Amino acid sequence: MKTFDELFDGVIKHEGYYANVEGDRGGETYMGVARNLHPDWEGWQYIDAYKETYGEIPWNFKIDVPRLTQLVKEFYKQTFYKRFKIDEISNGSIQQIVFDWCVNSGVWGARGVQR
């Protein structure tokens, strides 16, 4: 069985940090949190403040603000880990697969694994 932190670290390796790719329906994203899908997420305050101070953020840039990273972790824990009861899966490899699918596909990820 894996801890939330282990699962989070595995997913974030693939999610990366800052992106704002034209044509991406999620729009601006930070560590996989898409502004168009989660406009009220508290972390956008930190990202907007960073842009106001330093200007445009380069692709895959990590904003070194511990509170911002904590907000991302809290978001993943509530939105995916707890919602899909990843902690109730006893096999660490299956936890990783389900968590990753849910992060990338939401409820469709959980259903995909069930199939």
Side-chain angles (χ1 to χ4, degrees):
M1 193 165 178
K2 294 187 178 192
T3 66
F4 167 76
D5 287 330
E6 290 171 323
L7 295 170
F8 176 82
D9 290 345
V11 166
I12 288 303
K13 286 179 187 175
H14 303 289
E15 289 298 328
Y17 297 100
Y18 182 82
N20 194 3
V21 178
E22 189 175 327
D24 183 334
R25 74 179 183 99
E28 184 176 28
T29 63
Y30 189 72
M31 295 179 80
V33 182
R35 187 181 287 249
N36 289 348
L37 301 175
H38 306 284
D40 298 327
W41 176 59
E42 187 180 341
W44 295 120
Q45 296 173 45
Y46 292 89
I47 294 163
D48 291 342
Y50 187 93
K51 289 189 296 189
E52 192 172 301
T53 302
Y54 300 104
E56 188 176 328
I57 302 173
W59 179 80
N60 205 31
F61 181 79
K62 181 180 182 183
I63 300 170
D64 194 19
V65 174
R67 178 65 182 143
L68 179 57
T69 302
Q70 187 60 40
L71 287 169
V72 172
K73 288 181 94 167
E74 290 169 8
F75 174 84
Y76 275 73
K77 193 167 204 172
Q78 294 302 317
T79 307
F80 307 112
Y81 185 77
K82 288 187 175 183
R83 178 178 178 197
F84 295 105
K85 301 179 181 182
I86 306 297
D87 60 327
E88 294 180 18
I89 300 170
S90 59
N91 181 292
S93 295
I94 294 174
Q95 280 181 303
Q96 188 74 54
I97 291 167
V98 173
F99 188 63
D100 187 60
W101 273 43
C102 290
V103 166
N104 288 290
S105 305
V107 71
W108 297 110
R111 290 182 182 156
V113 172
Q114 288 172 341
R115 280 189 222 128

